[in-house]
Every structure is written in structure tokens, then in C-alpha cells.
Amino acid sequence: MKTNICLACDAPVSSFMSFGPQPLANGFLTPDQFDREYFFEMKVASCAKCGMFQLLEQPDREQMFNQNYAFFSGTSRGMAMHFEQLANDVMQHVLKGTNDPLAVEIGCNDGIMLKHFAKAGVRHLGVEPSANVAAVAKSNGVNVVSRFFDEACAEDIIRQYGQADVFLAANVMCHIPYMHSIIKGIQKLLKPEGVVIFEDPYLGDVLEFTSYDQVYDEHVFLFSVTSVNNLFAKYGMEVYDAQPQETHGGSMRYFICRRGRRPMTKAVLAQMDKEKAWNILSPATYERFRRNCEKSRDDLKSILENLRKKGKRVIGYAATSKSTTIINYCGLTTDHIEFISDTTPIKQGKFSPGKHIPVKAYEEFQKKYPDYALLFAYNHSKEIMAKEKDFMGRGGQWIMYVPQVKIQ
Ligand code: SAH
Ligand code: TMP
Ligand code: ZN
């Protein structure tokens, strides 16, 4: 899919920067696949009319989301707690007093959130196209259908289950270029008083922290309250609350209802004012972001080159999807990073997308600590710092790149 019109409002858009040729962020591969690896040019644009930050080219959805999907939500304990809390909040506050409510979650992955609805005996349905992670959800007692959510899927759900009281999505709305079909589906699926709650990495944080690794094939959008509100407004809906989250290096949780059904919170109005003050519609804002990305790339490369010259051992900590953008944009190879350690079995023994750095089991990191670990999973840094006291105690140091490139 390639476009030069805004996926949200159809206005013409043009790219303000390219992150160069990029492979599939989760496309970990074996050597026999190296010569047919897929690449696309990762150009980004921000729409001056509606504020939507977006990719201008994205691989087909089946290329990314299939039975070999490598991201299992349950690999982080922090995220497990985050989604347990959200599930409880929804059950206790949003669904409270509703007779036999129905919760629908798209992109439920391994059931990290819906399993709590299942446990509590609340009617729910997960829609998850990646069959391998959907199978794990099923084994966790979650009612799940393995397909892509869109308008047709919404109609099928209504026929089988009736309308929903709450529509949930975490780190998936920003993956879907065909947003109009999704919102038409939501409009049909949701009861008149129903609410949409979704969260995704937040554009404001990406701009502030230069966390450009949030941009990768799956993330076709980086949302803001402004752009989400503009998008839903076309369908008679509005954002009535917005709550910042610490997850994924800075996310926003959006609460959406049919227009006028719920009072707008002060928080959402304040967030929109902040976005105005940041000039999120202005090309100058993205020009600055581009310069910041280039500086971040140059700084990281020079630290790694220096360590290489000194003969230091550097490994990558966690083969995150985000790391694919860093590695390929900065041109990092096995000259800079000996291997990447990751706890996900499906990634181990494979090679990183694009630059083919070996991905090894976590035990390889523990067996012989490197001098430096480049922390690709900085969004889980609290959890990781607590776990890696031994590495640090033996003089191991971290290389960070968000919000600034530094050794610590
Ligand atoms: N909600 C989980 C998983 C996020 S990963 C979490 O926050 O950890 C995104 C998930 O969305 C993947 O499992 C992918 O298969 C799924 N997905 C992608 N497009 C989708 C669509 N159109 N409908 C439903 N799920 C989709
Ligand atoms: P995420 O940043 O997209 O959530 O991806 C997390 C990846 O990081 C996943 O591949 C598992 C890996 N990981 C580790 O290897 N060690 C850890 O301690 C944590 C928290 C994650
Ligand atoms: Zn637009």
C-alpha cells in the first residue's frame, strides 16, 4: 500500500523524512531467507489539515500479521499488570450496572487483557488475525475469532453476539491503515451508550523524546488527541477523555463516545491545548523532529564506533520491533553489536530483520556479560534494571538512546 493522500482525511500529504529502506519490524529470519527479504521505503508525513502522523507506504497486512507473528504480549510482566488493571477498571467502572455486557477487543494477541474478563465470567470476544497468538488466547480461556477486524467483521459479530458495550484496542488501532472501515464497524457494533477505549504510542512523546523507533511498518499512525478527535468526528463521535500512559515509552489512552453522550473531561481539553502549543499541525515541528532524529542516529553511531575501536563487547538487549528501525536507520551491523539477547523463543536462533544480527537466548547474555548492552527495550527499563543488578554490579553499562544517546 502506497499513498500520498492522508489516510485519515484525504488531504494531500508529502513526506518530511525517510528512514530509508526498512524490512518487516518483526520479520526475524533464517539464513535461507536472507536473499528474498522484503524491504519498503519508510517515508513519513504529517497531515497539516488533521494532524495525522503516518507512513506513506506499508506492507500488506497479511505479511505482518499471520500464524508466525513474533510478538507475544505476555513476554512483559509490566504489561501484564498494566492490562490486568485496565480490565478491572473497565469491568468495575465502564460495565458496572450493565446487564450481561459484551466487551470486544481487537488485537487481543495472547489474551493478556481478555483473560481477566474470561476469569470474571464477563461476555467478551477477541478479534485476532495472527493465528499463533490467538491460539494462546484460546488456551487462556478467551473467546477469540482469528480474523482482521473491519466493517464486515463487525456485522458478523453483531449477528452472532449482538451489539457491544465496550470496544477495546491496545497498540493495534495505530497498526490499521483502513481506519474508515474500522470506525464504520465500531459505529455499528457499539450500543448507543457504548464506549471505545484504545491506547497507542503518543505522538507528543515521540516528538519530545525523539523516540523515532516508534515508527515502523506496523505503526502506520502515531496518534494525538487532535488527530484522533478529527478522525472520529467524521462519524459523529468524539474523544471525551484522554489519559497519558507510561507504557511503550509514552502512550495515550483515548475514551470515545457518540457526540454529546458524555461530558468532555478537563484533561482532554487541556491535552488538546498542549498539542496546539506544540504546533502539531505545523511543518516546522516535523522539520525539527527530522533534525533530532538525524542527530540521535549520528550520536549513537559514533558511540558504537568508538567502543568497537576500543575492542569492547556490545550486545543488544531485547529484539524489539522498535529496534528494527534503529538498526536499519543507523546502519548497525555485527561490527557494532555482537548479538541481540531476547526472551521470546520464536525469535531466538534467528537473525534480526535487515542487518541480520543473530538473536540469542537471554542465557547467552548471562553466561558471559558484555561490556555494554544497548537497551532496545527502554520502555521496560524499570523491570529490566531491577532484573539486571548482577550485570551492573560487574561493571556492565547500558547504552541508551531515548530521550538522549548516552552511556549509563
Ligand atoms: N493488544 C496487545 C497486542 C498488540 S500487537 C498489546 O497491546 O500487547 C497488535 C496486534 O493486533 C497483533 O496481535 C495483530 O495480529 C493484531 N491486528 C492487526 N491488525 C488487526 C485488525 N485489523 N483487527 C484485529 N487485530 C489486528
Ligand atoms: P516490546 O518493546 O515491543 O514490548 O517488545 C519486548 C521485547 O523485548 C520482546 O521480544 C521480549 C523482549 N524482552 C526481553 O528480552 N527481556 C526483558 O526483560 C523484557 C521485558 C523484554
Ligand atoms: Zn489528514
Side-chain angles (χ1 to χ4, degrees), residues 5-13 46-52 54 234:
I5 60 159
C6 173
L7 290 165
C9 80
D10 290 342
V13 283
S46 176
C47 177
K49 192 167 161 220
C50 75
M52 192 63 84
Q54 56 202 284
K234 284 190 198 342

Side-chain angles (χ1 to χ4, degrees), residues 65 69 73 83 107 109 127-130 148-149 170-172 176 178:
F65 309 118
Y69 191 54
S73 301
F83 287 124
N109 202 275
V127 183
E128 175 47 71
S130 300
F148 288 94
F149 182 80
N171 308 302
V172 53
I176 308 180
Y178 42 99

Side-chain angles (χ1 to χ4, degrees), residues 323-342:
S323 70
T324 297
T325 299
I326 301 290
I327 289 170
N328 288 279
Y329 177 59
C330 299
L332 308 183
T333 65
T334 45
D335 285 345
H336 308 99
I337 301 173
E338 191 177 310
F339 66 88
I340 306 172
S341 135
D342 196 282

Side-chain angles (χ1 to χ4, degrees), residues 55-332:
L55 296 185
L56 295 182
E57 188 177 339
Q58 199 197 28
D60 292 340
R61 62 187 191 179
E62 289 79 7
Q63 257 176 295
M64 298 181 279
F65 309 118
N66 51 45
Q67 68 285 0
N68 297 317
Y69 191 54
F71 176 72
F72 287 72
S73 301
T75 46
S76 156
R77 284 212 300 141
M79 291 309 289
M81 273 151 56
H82 173 79
F83 287 124
E84 180 174 5
Q85 181 70 48
L86 176 56
N88 288 336
D89 283 351
V90 171
M91 286 188 282
Q92 282 161 18
H93 302 297
V94 182
L95 300 180
K96 196 177 161 209
T98 316
N99 184 29
D100 194 21
L102 173 66
V104 172
E105 188 195 0
I106 67 167
C108 69
N109 202 275
D110 55 11
I112 189 167
M113 172 153 60
L114 279 186
K115 68 179 180 193
H116 300 289
F117 289 78
K119 237 188 268 161
V122 173
R123 237 165 27 102
H124 65 275
L125 175 68
V127 183
E128 175 47 71
S130 300
N132 58 341
V133 294
V136 177
K138 230 172 258 173
S139 72
N140 282 329
V142 172
N143 184 28
V144 54
V145 51
S146 190
R147 65 184 282 190
F148 288 94
F149 182 80
D150 54 16
E151 194 178 358
C153 174
E155 287 165 0
D156 290 344
I157 296 174
I158 297 165
R159 268 192 290 278
Q160 208 179 336
Y161 297 89
Q163 282 184 301
D165 296 271
V166 65
F167 179 94
L168 300 164
N171 308 302
V172 53
M173 291 290 268
C174 73
H175 291 50
I176 308 180
Y178 42 99
M179 239 333 122
H180 297 288
S181 173
I182 298 290
I183 303 179
K184 283 181 197 160
I186 291 176
Q187 255 189 330
K188 289 184 179 168
L189 181 59
L190 214 56
K191 287 185 187 162
E193 297 295 336
V195 296
V196 179
I197 304 173
F198 76 86
E199 62 189 50
D200 283 292
Y202 180 53
L203 176 66
D205 291 319
V206 173
L207 297 178
E208 186 179 349
F209 304 133
T210 318
S211 43
Y212 66 87
D213 55 347
Q214 291 291 3
V215 183
Y216 55 90
D217 58 352
E218 295 176 23
H219 286 179
V220 65
F221 298 120
L222 282 177
F223 294 131
S224 58
V225 181
T226 308
S227 64
V228 169
N229 201 46
N230 284 335
L231 177 60
F232 277 84
K234 284 190 198 342
Y235 298 92
M237 302 181 84
E238 64 190 357
V239 181
Y240 69 89
D241 196 10
Q243 298 174 0
Q245 307 292 317
E246 280 184 6
T247 49
H248 290 298
S251 295
M252 187 63 75
R253 182 176 290 166
Y254 305 92
F255 294 76
I256 296 167
C257 62
R258 292 183 210 279
R259 192 175 294 130
R261 296 275 174 162
R262 290 178 190 242
M264 276 206 173
T265 62
K266 279 196 191 121
V268 78
L269 296 170
Q271 200 66 38
M272 282 186 193
D273 283 345
K274 265 194 205 165
E275 292 179 358
K276 237 182 241 155
W278 295 335
N279 286 322
I280 68 153
L281 295 179
S282 160
T285 301
Y286 300 95
E287 205 37 47
R288 195 165 53 242
F289 175 64
R290 180 177 66 76
R291 285 198 303 273
N292 290 344
C293 292
E294 288 167 358
K295 177 167 186 329
S296 174
R297 174 194 62 191
D298 296 347
D299 289 352
L300 182 59
K301 244 195 132 164
S302 93
I303 279 191
L304 292 170
E305 291 284 354
N306 278 335
L307 293 176
R308 186 173 69 94
K309 279 186 206 138
K310 289 186 193 153
K312 299 291 182 191
R313 277 188 72 219
V314 179
I315 67 107
Y317 194 102
T320 57
S321 7
K322 295 189 283 294
S323 70
T324 297
T325 299
I326 301 290
I327 289 170
N328 288 279
Y329 177 59
C330 299
L332 308 183

